[in-house]
Amino acid sequence: MTAAQRESARQERAQRETQENHVSGATVWLTGLPSAGKTTIAYELAGRLRARGRRVEVLDGDEIREFLSAGLGFSRADRHTNVQRIGFVSELLARNGVLVLVPVIAPYADSREAVRKRHQAAGTGYVEVHVATPVEVCSVRDVKGLYAKQAAGEISGLTGVDDPYEEPESPDLRIESQDQTVRESAAALHALLTERGLA
């Protein structure tokens, strides 16, 4: 076998291995009110998937605001810009084989639809999950104290209270987190991703 033939055989073997090991990436967007349980479910699922060897990233809304969208406020235009930035990063990661979990409120339907269309145009998987916890439950959980601050008049523009939240009309999955444990919620999402060949 000549050096050229050996090199050709090596390249074919490497290409076969790459194809066998390639798993499609996708973005899984978990939308819902503040304190709905989006981030908790995302990290529970991420741990489950990483334990099985899956490449996963969680794009946490608070971290994105600090590092990628610093300087943006909470006007409709700024919220839209924030969501589009996250959508760009998530699609970039997903098209490179990463499963990207995005627990971000994204209160406006048109912003979420623009992200979905970006993924469709690139041929990248996109799954929308509505963590449909009622505002009454979220305000009791009040993980960051936002509902208490809004009630005390310290802040305004709280999504779902005095700022709009447009619920997804037909998400790929709706999770009622008030009726099940975090593990059960993550398991339901994992089952959907497995069914679609994304887990």
Side-chain angles (χ1 to χ4, degrees), residues 97-181:
V98 178
L99 187 64
V100 188
L101 306 178
V102 185
V104 173
I105 295 169
Y108 302 115
D110 60 346
S111 297
R112 296 191 304 264
E113 185 58 24
V115 172
R116 181 189 292 278
K117 284 180 177 171
R118 171 187 291 280
H119 283 70
Q120 285 174 340
T124 306
Y126 183 83
V127 176
E128 183 177 71
V129 179
H130 181 205
V131 183
T133 313
V135 68
E136 300 79 27
V137 176
C138 295
S139 63
V140 171
R141 290 179 182 172
D142 205 9
V143 179
K144 299 170 192 163
L146 297 175
Y147 293 93
K149 287 180 181 175
Q150 192 278 335
E154 295 173 25
I155 62 169
S156 62
L158 181 59
T159 301
V161 179
D162 58 353
D163 209 61
Y165 176 71
E166 299 170 357
E167 291 191 4
E169 291 182 8
S170 53
D172 298 284
L173 178 66
R174 199 177 305 276
I175 293 175
E176 310 278 351
S177 77
Q178 73 278 11
D179 296 330
Q180 56 192 36
T181 66

Side-chain angles (χ1 to χ4, degrees), residues 1-13:
M1 186 181 276
T2 67
Q5 288 171 323
R6 277 197 303 274
E7 177 59 20
S8 176
R10 185 196 67 75
Q11 287 177 355
E12 283 177 24
R13 193 166 53 249

